Amino acid sequence: MSQSIFLPNYTIGADAYNAINDIVKSYGTKAVMIGGKTALEKAETKIKAALTKEVTVTDTLWYGGNSTYENVETLLQEPSVQNADVLFAVGGGRVCDTVKVTAEKLGKPIFTFPTIGSNCSPVTAVCVMYQENGEMQGLFFPTKPPTHAFIDIAIIAEAPDKYLWAGIGDALSKEIESSFSARGDQLDYTDGLGIQIGKMCTERLLTYGTQALTDSAANISSYSIEQVVLDIIVTTGLVSVLVINDYNSAMAHSFYYGTTVLEKMEDYLHGASVSYGVLALLKLDQQEALFERIYRFMKENRLPVCLADMQLNAASDLDAILDKAMTTNDIVHVPYEITREMFKEAILAVEAYHVTQTQVDSLVKTI
């Protein structure tokens, strides 16, 4: 069977929006801008200022607040959306996913404008869809990724630090999960290329991540932020586009999806939950040296290294998390069976390590 691959295209920099007009005009003249409320406040004026008479924004709409099929349906009924040549998705991952589904159903080109560096949705051909109560519902697969992503580093640097923080946590999973899921398989060219690209992720995050967060806190559009954002959005996005979905995630994302059943986790950022799942996966797979490096990096940057960091409790919350996690497809295509007991033991091993490490750190401080 033939295989068609549509790779992400992007423009990145503090002046990225200067390229909008020349790139978009080939696809149409009427654009509808759809985004989050804060994202539109930060980017709408700058986007419009970059356009000439060749491309006009005919309407600006709120996306609805979550990536749900109900919000997609609302957008599909908007006359301005129906009459648009192209759609602009402005904001974070849930904005991009909502507009990607809308664009797919209408057969219209979509251009993304990430205003936070939190995930790879601006360049991928997969959408995470949620129920109205916030629980993860499933995945939707467009036929191709967005036509082009315009990544304005200045806007991302000025966004709340927590989004870049969570984006780093999410990107930490890509190399580790994809390599784990693909282990032992005879990979074809495209899957193999995706897995190799993913191997850029971890080391780059560990090298530039701490400085990027420092610069983000100071609202500085820096080289470190650019390197980390490229990792979060583009590197992980390329892997997502190239590999079969079986290789796109594993136990770290199963842990995150497990947490979505808890109401208190509704506003907790996806990437931060995923990063804790990375620690559990590394413990499960006995990758102790890498576990210790990532644990130290996460602790230094206040990513969750124990359940308590997420206001979770093993006694009262873990069973519900595992009930959901064990139903996900993320732990189906893996190099060995992951049982519920193995999943639980891995989490408890992370907790035990944290307790021991905290005691050691405390002892060192007293010497």
Side-chain angles (χ1 to χ4, degrees), residues 47-354:
I47 292 170
K48 287 182 176 179
L51 299 174
T52 69
K53 292 181 180 179
E54 294 172 297
V55 180
T56 304
V57 175
T58 60
D59 199 4
T60 300
L61 301 170
W62 180 50
Y63 83 109
N66 199 356
S67 52
T68 66
Y69 288 111
E70 289 80 3
N71 287 331
V72 169
E73 188 58 35
T74 297
L75 291 172
L76 290 172
Q77 299 307 314
E78 287 284 348
S80 61
V81 173
Q82 294 172 2
N83 295 326
D85 296 321
V86 300
L87 303 182
F88 287 180
V90 183
R94 298 197 186 200
V95 172
C96 292
D97 285 352
T98 303
V99 184
K100 280 154 61 178
V101 177
T102 304
E104 178 73 10
K105 289 182 178 292
L106 291 173
K108 297 182 186 291
I110 172 178
F111 297 84
T112 59
F113 300 79
T115 55
I116 54 177
S118 62
N119 57 67
C120 60
S121 176
V123 303
T124 63
V126 60
C127 308
V128 182
M129 305 304 290
Y130 294 85
Q131 297 177 15
E132 288 291 296
N133 65 2
E135 183 177 343
M136 188 262 194
Q137 180 173 345
L139 301 177
F140 179 92
F141 296 95
T143 53
K144 63 180 70 173
T147 303
H148 201 95
F150 298 93
I151 308 168
D152 187 314
I153 290 296
I155 289 177
I156 290 175
E158 293 171 2
D161 307 336
K162 64 181 181 178
Y163 295 116
L164 188 67
W165 171 80
I168 290 171
D170 194 27
L172 279 170
S173 72
K174 183 54 72 175
E175 175 181 351
I176 292 164
E177 286 193 300
S178 61
S179 296
F180 177 74
S181 295
R183 184 188 300 166
D185 287 359
Q186 183 67 41
L187 302 178
D188 67 15
Y189 174 83
T190 305
D191 287 323
L193 178 61
I195 298 299
Q196 288 302 314
I197 289 173
K199 292 180 180 179
M200 289 183 62
C201 270
T202 306
E203 201 60 43
R204 190 167 294 269
L205 292 169
L206 297 181
T207 299
Y208 295 106
T210 300
Q211 186 60 52
L213 289 170
T214 299
D215 294 341
S216 178
N219 296 334
I220 297 171
S221 178
S222 69
Y223 178 80
S224 291
I225 288 182
E226 184 168 304
Q227 296 307 297
V228 167
V229 168
L230 281 166
D231 228 12
I232 293 168
I233 296 178
V234 178
T235 306
T236 61
L238 282 167
V239 177
S240 176
V241 167
L242 287 166
V243 304
I244 60 173
N245 195 54
D246 285 339
Y247 301 150
N248 251 324
S249 59
M251 183 174 158
H253 275 78
S254 284
F255 174 81
Y256 159 70
Y257 294 133
T259 66
T260 66
V261 302
L262 302 175
E263 185 176 349
K264 63 182 175 180
M265 294 294 287
E266 185 173 340
D267 295 324
Y268 196 77
L269 292 172
H270 159 96
S273 299
V274 169
S275 70
Y276 180 86
V278 169
L279 294 178
L281 173 55
L282 292 173
K283 270 296 181 186
L284 174 84
D285 203 41
Q286 299 181 9
Q287 297 185 49
E288 296 297 337
L290 184 56
F291 170 90
E292 291 175 9
R293 285 190 70 201
I294 290 181
Y295 174 92
R296 288 195 298 271
F297 172 82
M298 288 176 56
K299 188 172 184 180
E300 178 184 3
N301 291 293
R302 299 185 179 181
L303 284 160
V305 293
C306 64
L307 293 173
D309 285 344
M310 297 175 283
Q311 307 303 312
L312 294 174
N313 181 282
S316 59
D317 297 321
L318 196 49
D319 280 342
I321 291 171
L322 290 171
D323 284 346
K324 177 69 174 181
M326 294 305 298
T327 69
T328 65
N329 289 327
D330 306 82
I331 53 173
V332 173
H333 190 100
V334 285
Y336 47 82
E337 181 184 5
I338 298 176
T339 66
R340 181 190 176 95
E341 188 59 30
M342 290 166 64
F343 207 139
K344 183 175 183 178
E345 287 178 358
I347 291 172
L348 295 179
V350 175
E351 297 298 296
Y353 181 91
H354 174 68

